[in-house]
Amino acid sequence: MAQPAAMAGPQRTERIEAELVPMSAWAAPGSTAVIAVKQTIQPGWHTYWRNPGDSGGATTLTWTAPQGVRPGEIVWPLPQRQRLSGLMNYGYSGEVWLPVPVEIPATARPGTVLPLTVKALFLVCSAEMCVPDELTLRLDLPVREGAAPLDARHGAAITRVLETAPRPAGIEARIVMDNGALMLSAAGGPLAGRDPGPSYFFPFEGGVIDHPAAQAGAWGPRGLTLRLQPGGATRADGLSGPVAGVLATAQGAFEITAEPGAALAGTSGSGDLEAAPDGDAAAGSAAGTGPAIFVQAVLFAILGGLILNLMPCVFPILAMKAAALAASAHDARHARRDGLAFLAGVLTTFLLLAGGLLALRAAGEAVGWGFQLQSPPVTAGLALLMLAVALNLSGVFHVGAGLQGAGSGPLARLPGGLGAFFTGVLAVVVAAPCTAPFMAFALGAALVMPWPMALLVFLGLGLGLALPYLALSLAPGLLSRLPRPGPWMDRLKGLLAFPLYATALWLAWVFSRQTGADALALLFAASVLLALGLWLAGGAQAERAAGRRGVLHLATGVVALVLALGAGWLAAVLPAEIPVTEPGDSPAGPRAATWSPAAVEAALAEGRPVLVNFTADWCVTCKINERTSLTSPAVAAALERADAVYLVGDWTRRDDAITTELQRHGRSGVPLYLLYSPGSAGPRILPQLLTEGVVIEALKPAGD
């Protein structure tokens, strides 16, 4: 009987769900596409790597494809080590992507679809039993001209697997039998000059080593040596040729081929290697985003949003929140409305920013959280917007009800809850670029999750940011303690305008660092014209209130506002002056050099600690940390005593290298502070809120 045609989309059994998914939105003629078999494995079950270890069997794929389409071999992610009753298996659990490169013929016609079918055989095992599950998967791959963006659902995750999958790295390796043990030495490439940290060797073939046996070893100036116990085939026949596999270290995982021969020089003598614990080898590459990680990410996002209210980034927005609370303190219905409207504004803006971020990343762009303030047009527009809001609070012009209308919206006199909604929008746009504690894990996890889960994490962050204001607006007992509305509210609003003037100045300064003096001059001209236009608009309002038409004021005001928009646009599109920013020397602080991976490697090769500051001019938390904790004479002296190098990575404008480095450490935004010590497996991550004492104490052991 004929087998039914394969169905596109996920296919499942009781133990596993699998789907054939693309990395890119389409394939171009003559290119190599990447297609992945995505596995979602039920808790308590696992599948296997190419060498399954002591039991089990590797996943196999049998392809059916149009003529000329040639699927390649699986790009295997680094497996987990799974110990069971004295056995050691190598495999995967949770969510796993197995990418496969697929050659597309040059004769493929744009506008057509290539039907790809694969029969996937998974051996799915638990602690009690193993079941062979065979699923037939199908994907219809569109063919179009030109470079394709990443697939919105799976592209980022597949890219991450490819980036972290083991690959050759110029490492030389030797293996020899010595007193009944296999001595594997590896030198050069990324192993040279540093402690590789916990290390483990995964052979491609079974029987070469005793998989459950511990792998002890040592490291030296050029690499490392591992002592392996021989497996059954090696004990029976000895070493019959080269041994290939994956060497997993704290510095990364690398494919090596060990030729028979004596141990390489410089691969021991500096210290003993730490034993790699079972189950951790897949460190972010194979296992993905299961329910537990998702729940943890949402909880951390809410907690991070709450703490974000205490970060310096949010201080300017507190003025708008205070004005909103004062306006509706003694009207419970309006207070509830404003609290819910503020929440809606925060959540809507987080949703839009998160959607834009995920869409850009899916299209292959290297962007991170806070990307909006890396754009000079956005920075200029926000500076002018903050100036307009401040002028409104100062009484220069009014929107909606009159000056004494206590029932109007809390911000800018917008009617109803629009003012509170607008406050929430501005709070997110200005405050979101900085990150608070707990946000790093949440944002890092969200950026590799499927987009529905990722958006829920970002909404959790917005909920945390809005929660204190929402709770206060729903507690009439607390609000009733504020004085009743009166003339004091207008004086308060006038006072609260000044933090917003300061915010406008700060954004103008950020804009100048992104562009240059000429663009800043145009922005200042736009600011003056904006202030003039709004002052004239306020005059027209006063004229109408007195029974006159105020046409002259209104017409000239509109002209001034149009000129302001034109000047602002010219400022935003003016080519940037190069260099825009350069790390400099603080008069009393440490000398700073520009960050690069090569600069870090060079300093560590000289035996010097490295303090790295990833910062941006639009990150208020970053600038406060720099002023109080990184550029003081005491920190400069501590750096000098430790003979440390101070490097600055400036993310004010988009920099893909910095974005990649942030992602490598599980971050999607700044600030990030790393302290490298010679001989350590990796950098120490310092707190996001620094003090002078924290930095000095961290430098003490680094310089020992």
Side-chain angles (χ1 to χ4, degrees):
M1 186 171 62
Q3 185 174 352
M7 300 290 292
Q11 306 297 312
R12 58 185 60 84
T13 69
E14 295 177 358
R15 294 156 294 278
I16 188 171
E17 177 185 285
E19 184 178 6
L20 200 59
V21 297
M23 185 176 78
S24 302
W26 65 79
S31 68
T32 298
V34 176
I35 308 301
V37 175
K38 179 191 175 186
Q39 306 174 49
T40 304
I41 306 166
Q42 291 297 313
W45 297 84
H46 57 268
T47 58
Y48 292 92
W49 187 52
R50 58 184 295 178
N51 171 13
D54 289 328
S55 64
T59 296
T60 61
L61 305 178
T62 304
W63 291 87
T64 301
Q67 185 175 3
V69 176
R70 292 192 293 271
E73 298 297 323
I74 296 172
V75 179
W76 293 93
L78 192 65
Q80 297 168 320
R81 299 199 311 282
Q82 301 160 340
R83 189 178 295 274
L84 177 64
S85 301
L87 303 178
M88 176 68 77
N89 296 328
Y90 302 145
Y92 308 108
S93 57
E95 283 191 333
V96 188
W97 284 263
L98 299 183
V100 176
V102 178
E103 294 183 16
I104 307 300
T107 55
R109 289 187 295 111
T112 61
V113 171
L114 297 175
L116 303 175
T117 303
V118 66
K119 185 180 293 183
L121 177 60
F122 309 99
L123 188 61
V124 191
C125 296
S126 68
E128 292 80 25
M129 62 185 300
C130 288
V131 180
D133 280 334
E134 183 176 276
L135 295 174
T136 301
L137 313 175
R138 178 187 172 100
L139 172 70
D140 293 328
L141 184 65
V143 179
R144 298 185 192 175
E145 294 283 4
L150 291 179
D151 177 75
R153 291 180 57 208
H154 307 288
I158 299 173
T159 300
R160 186 179 179 216
V161 172
L162 291 175
E163 289 174 346
T164 57
R167 65 193 63 201
I171 296 174
E172 183 182 10
R174 297 287 185 273
I175 191 166
V176 64
M177 186 76 80
D178 182 16
N179 293 326
L182 290 172
M183 304 303 294
L184 172 69
S185 58
L191 302 179
R194 60 172 62 186
D195 179 359
S199 302
Y200 190 91
F201 178 66
F202 297 85
F204 286 154
E205 300 295 332
V208 176
I209 68 170
D210 183 4
H211 301 115
Q215 298 187 6
W219 65 282
R222 294 189 59 233
L224 61 83
T225 297
L226 285 175
R227 183 183 181 87
L228 314 173
Q229 297 302 315
T234 304
R235 288 194 300 269
D237 304 323
L239 284 174
S240 57
V243 175
V246 170
L247 180 61
T249 74
Q251 310 301 329
F254 316 101
E255 290 187 2
I256 62 171
T257 299
E259 300 287 343
L264 296 169
T267 58
S268 61
S270 296
D272 294 333
L273 288 174
E274 297 178 42
D278 294 345
D280 72 335
S285 58
T289 55
I293 295 295
F294 169 66
V295 172
Q296 186 179 6
V298 171
L299 292 176
F300 273 35
I302 295 173
L303 188 56
L306 281 168
I307 298 175
L308 191 61
N309 283 280
L310 305 177
M311 303 293 283
C313 298
V314 185
F315 288 170
I317 309 305
L318 294 179
M320 289 184 277
K321 291 186 179 181
L325 287 173
S328 57
H330 294 274
D331 188 328
R333 184 174 62 85
H334 285 176
R336 287 193 299 271
R337 179 203 64 195
D338 292 346
L340 293 173
F342 177 79
L343 174 65
V346 168
L347 295 182
T348 300
T349 312
F350 261 109
L351 197 62
L352 292 174
L353 285 177
L357 173 61
L358 295 173
L360 288 172
R361 290 174 66 87
E365 299 290 330
V367 294
W369 192 240
F371 70 98
Q372 68 272 19
L373 287 185
Q374 292 178 327
S375 166
V378 173
T379 308
L382 283 174
L384 295 175
L385 181 59
M386 286 295 173
L387 176 61
V389 174
L391 290 171
N392 176 258
L393 289 176
S394 295
V396 172
F397 72 103
H398 310 293
V399 179
L403 183 62
Q404 299 299 328
S408 63
L411 173 68
R413 308 294 185 187
L414 289 174
L418 286 179
F421 183 90
F422 186 58
T423 307
V425 171
L426 289 183
V428 175
V429 172
V430 176
C434 289
T435 56
F438 298 101
M439 279 179 62
F441 169 82
L443 294 179
L447 293 180
V448 297
M449 289 178 177
W451 67 265
M453 299 169 68
L455 291 180
L456 287 175
V457 173
F458 282 109
L459 288 177
L461 185 59
L463 176 62
L465 178 63
L467 203 53
Y469 179 84
L470 177 65
L472 197 57
S473 68
L474 297 178
L478 293 175
L479 290 176
S480 63
R481 299 179 183 228
L482 290 175
R484 291 196 170 275
W488 69 271
M489 286 179 53
D490 292 304
R491 291 194 294 272
L492 175 64
K493 290 179 185 295
L495 177 64
L496 294 179
F498 287 94
L500 299 181
Y501 287 123
T503 303
L505 284 174
W506 164 64
L507 288 166
W509 173 75
V510 172
F511 179 78
S512 72
R513 301 274 286 178
Q514 294 173 328
T515 54
D518 292 343
L520 180 62
L522 282 170
L523 182 62
F524 282 160
S527 301
V528 172
L529 288 167
L530 176 67
L532 174 62
L534 294 177
W535 177 77
L536 289 168
Q541 290 175 328
E543 289 282 302
R544 288 198 301 272
R548 295 184 290 271
R549 298 180 63 185
V551 175
L552 181 60
H553 281 84
L554 183 60
T556 52
V558 169
V559 171
L561 291 176
V562 170
L563 292 174
L565 290 175
W569 175 252
L570 289 175
V573 300
L574 197 68
E577 298 175 8
I578 303 295
V580 177
T581 57
E582 285 293 336
D585 301 336
S586 172
R591 294 181 58 84
T594 302
W595 170 86
S596 69
V600 174
E601 294 292 337
L604 291 175
E606 296 173 0
R608 303 178 66 186
V610 183
L611 177 62
V612 181
N613 170 20
F614 289 107
T615 182
D617 288 335
W618 39 258
C619 172
V620 180
T621 306
C622 304
K623 308 319 289 182
I624 291 178
N625 282 339
E626 288 166 16
R627 294 288 184 269
T628 62
S629 308
L630 291 173
T631 59
S632 69
V635 169
L639 285 165
E640 186 174 353
R641 285 194 301 271
D643 192 27
V645 176
Y646 179 48
L647 302 178
V648 175
D650 191 345
W651 209 42
T652 302
R653 289 182 69 92
R654 177 174 164 178
D655 187 313
D656 290 352
I658 292 177
T659 304
T660 300
E661 188 70 11
L662 292 172
Q663 294 169 353
R664 205 164 70 86
H665 296 286
R667 301 295 175 89
S668 62
V670 290
L672 174 63
Y673 306 106
L674 303 177
L675 180 60
Y676 293 83
S677 300
S680 295
R684 173 184 172 187
I685 299 179
L686 300 185
Q688 289 174 301
L689 292 177
L690 292 178
T691 65
E692 187 179 81
V694 167
V695 179
I696 293 173
E697 286 299 315
L699 287 168
K700 286 181 180 178
D704 293 342

